[in-house]
Structures are given as structure tokens and as C-alpha cells.
Amino acid sequence: MEETPTILIIGYVWPEPSSSAAGTRMMQLISIFQDAGWEITFASSSAESEHMADLETRGIKTEAVEINRSTFDSFIQELQPDIVMFDRFVVEEQFGWRVAEHAPDALRILDTEDLHCLRRTRHEAVKQGSDFSDRDLLASDVANREIASIYRCDLTLMISEYEMELLTDLFGVDKSLLHYLPFLMDTIDEKTTERWPSFEERKHFVTIGNFRHPPNWDSVRYLKEKIWPLIRKELPAAELHIYGAYPSQKVTDLHMPGEGFYIEGRAEDAKEILGKGRVCLAPLRFGAGLKGKLVEAMQSGTPCITTSIGAEGINGDLEWNAVVVNNPVEISAEAVHLYSDKTSWEKSQQQGIDIVNSRFQKDDFELDLIERVKSMGRNLESHRLQNFTGHMLMHHTMASTRYMSKWIEEKNRSKSS
């Protein structure tokens, strides 16, 4: 690998850090690579949006690519990057075999964002009213696809310790293929906390999340139907303000000021919005990865009431920054208590500070990632020889997906002619 590596990032979408935790995560990764002096090209087959980050002003080259088109082959043959990073496993499925064929010496990295198979199987369990189990994962077609993608890559970035353990213990993925990289945060110091509004200066409940993300939409419905009426009964003057990008009509239909239930839409600065509320509510019934809204609430000094799925992977052995409960009655009771009790609120706020400062300091993770990638690049041939399963899966992928993709391209060409 060259002294100044070139990295191609193939994005599922163009990053929108103001819209989702995934967008924030992607920009954190880009910052790590830029700080290391790497040359970055960002490509995506997704349509551009008005809220996407302006990558070119940051010195990042951009490229629009197409799925099932051989034009990508010419593009990557000319670029010949040292590293290719796929944003989520579906992107690796679409472009991984082309990278392996036309840039075989490039180190292939998968950034999962979260384990999609875990989120989807938990979603199915909620819809069916059943308890989620490991058996659901083992029977999941999505798990087959996602784990295969992990094996085909040289390294996979995992945002959650819980999901690291799931991959190694349940699916038997070797640790040499995985790298733990959580959210990367600055220290919350005294100067930061002095700027926070006090308990008395804050009011109302708040939550935030991209409405296109199914766990967030489910959480809003759950709040409206099961939780908020119980809170409102005890605190009739309280309000719940819900922020999120891309609210659909079914979301805005829930806007009912008379019930203290407000759908506010996009928040350009999530931490500013969260910092005005007294308590963050996040009753997530399914999901995976780390929940950006909860860590951002901690960065804003706002205690969070959430579920075990919401808190998963965030606090480790530390006390949560409020309470973790899993049914509507307990959630509402704890929310009312935290909202009303200054002593409990201040204690919870401090616990959030401890979590951010102990578990998500960017200085603890950035250099390790760069060194891991560089070391793997120097020993790539040996590393791949130890990953026979990945080599086998790539062989069969290139023998099947390649011809399916070429057939689709020819079919599309015939339609357009």
C-alpha cells in the first residue's frame, strides 16, 4: 500500500449528516481518512439530495455510478484505489465482485452501519407479536446475505460491541475479519457543560429520528398510542416535540397540539434541539447498531428514557443516563419521575457525560483503525489465504452474480434501443 493511500467509498446514499446517524457516521469515517492524509473518492448510485454534504468543498472527488452497468468497470480500472469501502452489505453485493475483478489488489472494507439482519428479524418479531431469538437470525435469508458479504470483505467495521459478539459467537466469524469502531466524540468538558441549560431552563419532552427509518416511525406510533397518553395524564401541561427528516403524510397526521403531541420535522442541529428538552424519549422496540439520538442527547446533557434495544451497545458496564425499561406503563412512570425530580435528573445527566467520555472518545479509536488498515494492506495476500470461506464465496459470487448483472445490463440496453 502506498504512503498516501487512495480510498474509494461506495455509498448506499450520499451522506446527509443532518438527517441520520448513518450520515454522521459516514462523515466521521471520511474525517478519519482525511486526517490520515488519504485521497478520497466518494461514489454512489443514489440520487443527489438537497441535504447531502458538500463533499467536493472538502477536497473529496465524487462520482455517480450505476448498478448493473459495465461503466463501473472502466471507472475502477482507471482509478485503481488501494482501498475500497462499501457502505452496507447491499452495496458490496452490487459492486464487490466488480472490485475484486478489476482492482484485485484493493483492500475491501465493509462498513455495516448496523447489522441489517438483526434489525429486520427483530422487526418481524414485533410485527408478529413474538419474542425475538437467535433462531430467527439463523433462519434469516438476510443474515445469509449479510454474513456472506462480511466474509467476502477483508475487514468489516462494527459499530456495536454487542453485534461483534453476535458475529463471533453465533455465526462463528473470525475476529481477524472484524474491527470495532463506535461513534467518535469529543470530550464533554466543564466549558461544554457550562453552556447547557439547567433543569429549570429546560421544558417538555423531545425525541428525534429520520422518519424513513422503520424503528423510528414505529417508536413514534408507540409513543402516540401507548405511552404519551399516560404521561400526559400525570403532566397535563407537558409537551412532546418530535423531530426528524422526511416526515410523510402519515407522520404529520399525528401532529395534535391539543394533546401536546408535536411533529416538528427536520432539525438542522440535533444537539441544539435535544439540549432544549428536559427528557429524551426513545422507546425503540426493534433496531440494531448504536442509536445516534441517544448519544447526541448525552452530548446535550439530556437524560434519556429508552428500552434495552435502544441502550444496546452504548453504556457497557456503566450506569445508563436515566432508565432502561421495556413496557409502556414503566416507561411513562419513569418519564414522569425524571421530568419532575431534579436530583435524579442531574445524576442521570452526569451518567451520560461518563458514558461519552469513557466509551466514545475519538482519540481512542482513530489511530487504531488507520494502523489496522495499513497493516492489513501490507499483509493482504496472507490475510486472504486465512479466509478460505471468503475466497470461496467470492468465487461463486463472481461466477453467478457477474452473469446475472451482465444479463440485466443487456436487457436494459435492449429496452432502450
Side-chain angles (χ1 to χ4, degrees), residues 104-123:
D105 295 330
L107 177 70
R108 299 188 297 272
I109 300 175
L110 173 63
D111 180 39
T112 57
E113 299 288 354
D114 62 23
L115 275 182
H116 289 48
C117 60
L118 178 62
R119 170 162 43 83
R120 293 188 188 184
T121 51
R122 282 174 166 172
H123 191 184

Side-chain angles (χ1 to χ4, degrees), residues 51-113:
H51 301 291
M52 61 186 277
D54 188 350
L55 298 177
E56 292 188 350
T57 61
R58 299 184 55 146
I60 298 167
K61 299 174 184 176
T62 60
E63 185 78 20
V65 294
E66 295 180 273
I67 299 169
N68 298 316
R69 290 293 300 274
S70 56
T71 51
F72 180 85
D73 303 345
S74 302
F75 160 67
I76 197 165
Q77 279 178 332
E78 182 178 347
L79 185 64
Q80 283 300 309
D82 298 296
I83 305 158
V84 176
M85 188 175 81
F86 307 101
D87 173 27
R88 303 168 202 174
F89 82 93
V90 292
V91 173
E92 188 278 333
E93 286 183 326
Q94 294 158 352
F95 294 102
W97 68 270
R98 293 184 184 274
V99 172
E101 182 172 8
H102 298 289
D105 295 330
L107 177 70
R108 299 188 297 272
I109 300 175
L110 173 63
D111 180 39
T112 57
E113 299 288 354

Side-chain angles (χ1 to χ4, degrees), residues 4-62:
T4 304
T6 57
I7 179 168
L8 168 64
I9 302 172
I10 310 177
Y12 179 68
V13 294
W14 298 97
E16 294 186 20
S18 67
S19 300
S20 67
T24 300
R25 162 77 163 186
M26 179 54 70
M27 295 309 295
Q28 289 179 349
L29 288 169
I30 286 173
S31 293
I32 293 176
F33 302 144
Q34 283 195 309
D35 290 346
W38 296 3
E39 295 180 6
I40 305 172
T41 299
F42 193 101
S44 180
S45 60
S46 176
E48 295 185 356
S49 76
E50 61 178 310
H51 301 291
M52 61 186 277
D54 188 350
L55 298 177
E56 292 188 350
T57 61
R58 299 184 55 146
I60 298 167
K61 299 174 184 176
T62 60

Side-chain angles (χ1 to χ4, degrees), residues 176-194:
S176 66
L177 300 177
L178 306 174
H179 187 86
Y180 174 56
L181 189 73
F183 288 139
L184 307 172
M185 308 294 180
D186 293 319
T187 301
I188 300 176
D189 55 23
E190 191 173 336
K191 289 183 179 179
T192 301
T193 59
E194 286 175 351

